Amino acid sequence: MGRLLKYLRLDKFPTVWCAGCGVGIVMGCIIRVVDKLKVNPDKVVIVSGIGCSGRMPGYLDFNTLHTTHGRALVFATGLKLAKPSLEIIVVMGDGDALAIGGNHLIHAARRNVNLTSIIINNWIYGMTGGQYSPATPRGAFATTAPYGNLEPPFEVPELVRGSGASYVARGTVYHTRQLDRLIERGMRKEGFGLVEVLSPCPVGFGRRNQMKSAIAMMRWQKDRAVSLKRASKMNEEELKDKIITGVLFEREAPEYTQEYERLMSRVKTRKEIGKREIQTGLGEIHEE
Amino acid sequence: MEKPALISGNEAVAYGALAAGVRFFAGYPITPSSEIAETLSELLPRMGGKFVQMEDELASMGAIVGASLAGVNSMTATSGPGFSLMQENIGFAFMTEVPCVIVNVQRGGPSTGLPTKPSQGDVMQTRWGTHGGCNTIALCPWSVRETFDLTIDCVNLANRYRLPVVLLLDEVIAHMREKVVLPSFGGVKKVQRKKPTCLPQEYLPYEITEDDIPPMADFGEGYRYHVTGLTHDPTGFPTSNAKEIDQLVRRLYGKIERYRDEITRIEEEYLADAQILVFAYGSVSRSAISAVKEARARGIKAGLLRPVSIWPFPDKHISRLADQLKAIIVAEMNLGQMIGEVRRASCERVKILGVTRVDGELITPDEILTAIQEVS
């Protein structure tokens, strides 16, 4: 435990998060994995968007970037392409990644840049006061769904898998050991990895949906989450209302930055100098 | 070796970017700027640089800020509709002081407008487009060769002052081909960012320095620091302390004002004894110089003032000239954007007349000459 404190900016504590929030638990998982993998902290970048999750980078002693709403993945894409040696972890919320950042999410997955992304899904816009998000279950109550939410939520792993990601997993903040393993495997994986983490928001979501306490929300996770292994032995009836966790999908696919490096060495070694280069003096730069 | 070449303005942007050391470009296709992306997609990987086509302009702008934080000179290029989408992250780059260059090839508007025809409708958006009120540097070339030079200047200004800089073209300059003789890229002057010299644990990424420009470390080189679009203190972390916020916002805005004379550039023709000034920029200034010469041939003392830096606006030049002149004619392809600035800077001590077009056609020398004769 003491060993992990060096990854935190303790002078920035206490955090902005409410009692019972799960974002801090995910933060704990991240630093445990960075420590286990012995990644040089100087090379680690944590990128976030806007919302409660967006505040996480500020508490972590890495290179940290708190971007605009929904855009964390595009900043991360630029960073990774410009400096592939960086180990980049992108932390997003459900409104952040799925609503305003939905386009960036599917394209980052499709491009398959080597990023580890985490969607902390608390089913609600927490920081703005409990409005429904694209992850809010149908029928749930929110400050902008006073009569119950009419919209169905995204099935996040399916969305990201269908977009082309190399790795898709789901965990909960209740099952932290499993979550450590899921994030670790995501970081080891070459290509775009996504871990969806179910995380409680007792203040924004629970209060309006018969889960007033943080404990009630954690109990919900404990009761509903079923590992993929256990789920494979359960029938449809037993799986009703259950949430399957674990490594849901994994594949080997060309990773963008590596493909680009290959492209660069392929075109650099071209013998002939193109017309543009002769015209503009670009050839001289090649000679340098 | 310097050889003549026949290239377009858009190609000149791409070559200027490479000459200035731009090694990252993210963009989204849009007429009439696409040739910039096309050229860089071919040449960047051959020069050890990265090109990526993003899913939209919001993403392009975010990606170049990310790449710049890794220490790489970065650029994007677009046209009006895409420039609108970039405003969010242009504000972020301004707030976080991340150097980058945005090329906007203006086309007819509003909205989808006239994709294949020129306009100068984004001049005010360049200055005021992002929310919250920031300050801007924007350069505006009138020829292909100047496009090459100003692209390099934009990269250097971004690095010198740590901010997003806009290169404002119009469709005519972008698509026009001219014979140019480009300098050897190796000899091009490159301004490097001011880097921290202190130990990492002593580094303040938003330090209040004597010159108002904090030193910038690259991500990944040992200076682990925080970057946020929230109002932040010198350590880079969010603050709601009124004094710190005031200091930050005034410094961000003020660093352009402080170096205004260093940044502001104009070009003038026949101004020494001019009584009638034509104020024009971009492709319109090409018609304007013809009109001025024709007026001179007819005995009218006309002159041209062309702002090379459109932002900051050349207030002092206009103010100084106002008492000497009989009239100022502002010719622009919009319904009056720079004319307001000319009115403001001259305090309306002189008669001011606008020549405008918004139909996608160039303002002709004749139209400007008619205006000159009208006020002479």
Side-chain angles (χ1 to χ4, degrees):
Chain A
M1 176 61 196
R3 184 175 91 245
L4 297 175
L5 292 179
K6 67 172 184 249
Y7 299 111
L8 296 173
R9 287 167 174 154
L10 291 170
D11 59 323
K12 302 300 168 195
F13 280 59
T15 69
V16 295
W17 303 314
C18 310
C21 177
V23 177
I25 300 175
V26 180
M27 184 164 82
C29 292
I30 290 172
I31 60 174
R32 275 195 298 277
V33 175
V34 168
D35 187 68
K36 187 181 170 195
L37 296 178
K38 297 189 171 58
V39 191
N40 177 356
D42 289 343
K43 298 289 172 198
V44 177
V45 185
I46 311 284
V47 188
S48 70
I50 295 292
C52 301
S53 65
R55 294 306 190 95
M56 188 201 289
Y59 305 116
L60 291 171
D61 192 10
F62 302 119
N63 305 278
T64 53
L65 177 57
H66 176 210
T67 72
T68 42
H69 198 19
R71 320 281 175 235
L73 283 168
V74 306
F75 286 77
T77 299
L79 269 163
K80 185 69 182 175
L81 259 61
K83 202 178 246 185
S85 61
L86 297 173
E87 182 71 54
I88 303 178
I89 300 166
V90 185
V91 184
M92 298 167 284
D94 48 309
D96 194 31
L98 302 171
I100 192 164
N103 197 30
H104 308 310
L105 176 68
I106 58 174
H107 286 280
R110 178 184 61 80
R111 208 171 274 124
N112 206 30
V113 177
N114 191 10
L115 302 169
T116 307
S117 55
I118 298 170
I119 298 178
I120 301 175
N121 182 357
N122 60 10
W123 296 349
I124 208 82
Y125 286 89
M127 192 160 269
T128 46
Q131 298 80 14
Y132 72 90
S133 87
T136 306
R138 195 181 243 155
F141 294 92
T143 54
T144 47
Y147 309 112
N149 178 26
L150 297 179
E151 300 182 24
F154 269 124
E155 181 56 31
V156 179
E158 288 300 319
L159 173 73
V160 177
R161 172 189 176 161
S163 303
S166 281
Y167 173 82
V168 182
R170 179 159 54 198
T172 82
V173 295
Y174 179 82
H175 304 87
T176 49
R177 294 298 155 206
Q178 179 199 35
L179 190 54
D180 280 5
R181 288 196 302 276
L182 297 175
I183 293 172
E184 181 188 337
R185 194 148 158 186
M187 282 178 68
R188 286 180 187 276
K189 183 79 186 174
E190 289 292 332
F192 185 85
L194 175 91
V195 183
E196 181 195 8
V197 184
L198 297 183
S199 179
C201 181
V203 177
F205 186 85
R207 263 194 309 167
R208 294 182 188 88
N209 291 281
Q210 290 83 50
M211 287 183 278
K212 276 200 174 123
S213 71
I215 294 166
M217 294 209 73
M218 290 300 246
R219 190 169 289 131
W220 185 95
Q221 293 195 353
K222 177 175 181 277
D223 295 343
R224 299 294 180 96
V226 176
S227 73
L228 192 61
K229 201 172 155 192
R230 227 177 87 207
S232 65
K233 292 171 195 148
M234 292 163 72
N235 64 34
E236 210 171 303
E237 185 56 32
E238 289 168 316
L239 281 171
K240 204 168 156 253
D241 294 332
K242 294 285 188 263
I243 307 249
I244 299 175
T245 61
V247 178
L248 303 180
F249 180 73
E250 206 168 4
R251 73 174 135 206
E252 298 307 317
E255 191 277 325
Y256 187 88
T257 50
Q258 289 178 10
E259 291 294 302
Y260 201 94
E261 297 289 332
R262 262 180 228 120
L263 167 86
M264 284 201 297
S265 51
R266 185 155 49 89
V267 296
K268 251 186 193 169
T269 53
R270 260 167 54 159
K271 289 246 169 58
E272 79 280 13
I273 292 179
K275 191 171 143 232
R276 280 188 204 278
E277 286 156 271
I278 294 165
Q279 276 191 337
T280 59
L282 281 177
E284 295 163 42
I285 301 246
H286 285 290
E287 303 304 317
E288 279 171 14
Chain B
M1 212 200 336
E2 297 173 6
K3 289 189 185 115
L6 183 69
I7 61 170
S8 70
N10 277 342
E11 285 175 306
V13 169
Y15 300 152
L18 294 172
V22 168
R23 290 296 178 269
F24 185 89
F25 180 95
Y28 184 81
I30 184 166
T31 305
S33 79
S34 298
E35 296 85 1
I36 299 170
E38 288 169 352
T39 308
L40 287 170
S41 72
E42 179 190 340
L43 297 176
L44 268 174
R46 304 181 72 164
M47 316 255 313
K50 308 284 170 71
F51 170 92
V52 62
Q53 186 168 304
M54 297 301 286
E55 53 271 21
D56 56 31
E57 288 88 348
L58 303 151
S60 306
M61 191 58 218
I64 68 164
V65 174
S68 182
L69 277 166
V72 178
N73 288 334
S74 304
M75 173 189 273
T76 186
T78 188
S79 183
F83 194 55
S84 295
L85 293 179
M86 287 179 184
Q87 293 303 328
E88 175 192 50
N89 285 333
I90 291 175
F92 184 87
F94 182 78
M95 183 59 141
T96 56
E97 298 179 76
V98 177
C100 53
V101 175
I102 302 105
V103 183
N104 176 9
V105 184
Q106 297 166 94
R107 67 190 219 186
S111 189
T112 314
L114 261 171
T116 57
K117 300 216 168 176
S119 148
Q120 295 176 321
D122 302 347
V123 175
M124 280 295 165
Q125 191 192 12
T126 302
R127 177 66 187 81
W128 300 107
T130 195
H131 57 270
C134 69
N135 212 339
T136 307
I137 299 178
L139 306 185
C140 185
W142 77 330
S143 71
V144 171
R145 176 54 204 260
E146 195 186 38
T147 301
F148 175 85
D149 292 336
L150 294 191
T151 305
I152 296 166
D153 292 344
C154 283
V155 177
N156 286 340
L157 287 165
N159 281 339
R160 164 89 173 87
Y161 300 109
R162 284 196 65 176
L163 38 73
V165 174
V166 178
L167 181 70
L168 206 53
L169 266 61
D170 58 66
E171 188 273 343
V172 170
I173 302 299
H175 282 159
M176 176 176 70
R177 283 178 183 274
E178 284 184 308
K179 180 185 148 187
V180 293
V181 178
L182 299 181
S184 162
F185 288 8
V188 164
K189 186 187 156 219
K190 296 187 190 78
V191 174
Q192 307 297 329
R193 296 174 189 176
K194 184 167 98 181
K195 307 280 283 184
T197 49
C198 61
L199 293 167
Q201 58 270 30
E202 289 162 3
Y203 178 51
L204 292 175
Y206 297 97
E207 189 182 357
I208 297 163
T209 56
E210 192 278 315
D211 63 356
D212 283 335
I213 300 154
M216 184 177 178
D218 303 341
F219 270 19
E221 61 178 15
Y223 293 82
R224 299 192 300 269
Y225 66 103
H226 189 56
V227 177
T228 177
L230 287 166
T231 51
H232 43 272
D233 64 17
T235 69
F237 288 92
T239 181
S240 48
N241 176 303
K243 193 177 159 222
E244 287 172 344
I245 296 167
D246 187 72
Q247 246 173 357
L248 170 73
V249 180
R250 285 185 194 279
R251 181 178 63 76
L252 291 177
Y253 204 96
K255 69 182 174 182
I256 295 179
E257 295 308 316
R258 175 173 174 173
Y259 296 104
R260 200 180 172 103
D261 292 343
E262 206 176 301
I263 304 164
T264 309
R265 281 158 62 184
I266 62 145
E267 267 206 8
E268 49 173 78
E269 301 276 356
Y270 308 107
L271 265 195
D273 64 341
Q275 291 175 340
I276 294 161
L277 169 71
V278 181
F279 181 100
Y281 49 98
S283 61
V284 177
S285 42
R286 298 170 76 100
S287 294
I289 189 63
S290 297
V292 165
K293 283 178 181 167
E294 185 56 35
R296 288 259 165 192
R298 297 181 190 193
I300 304 168
K301 285 182 177 168
L304 170 73
L305 189 149
R306 180 172 73 84
V308 176
S309 67
I310 208 154
W311 300 114
F313 186 80
D315 283 55
K316 280 186 188 168
H317 299 86
I318 296 290
S319 175
R320 207 181 303 135
L321 285 163
D323 296 322
Q324 161 196 335
L325 298 165
K326 212 164 135 189
I328 302 177
I329 291 159
V330 181
E332 51 186 343
M333 286 186 283
N334 56 53
L335 291 180
Q337 296 196 11
M338 279 280 111
I339 197 171
E341 293 299 298
V342 173
R343 282 200 185 103
R344 183 182 56 73
S346 67
C347 300
E348 304 200 54
R349 298 199 301 274
V350 56
K351 183 176 179 177
I352 297 164
L353 183 71
V355 177
T356 62
R357 268 193 104 141
V358 285
D359 59 355
E361 298 298 324
L362 261 173
I363 297 174
T364 63
D366 271 354
E367 286 170 276
I368 298 169
L369 183 62
T370 306
I372 294 172
Q373 285 171 323
E374 199 178 304
V375 294
S376 68

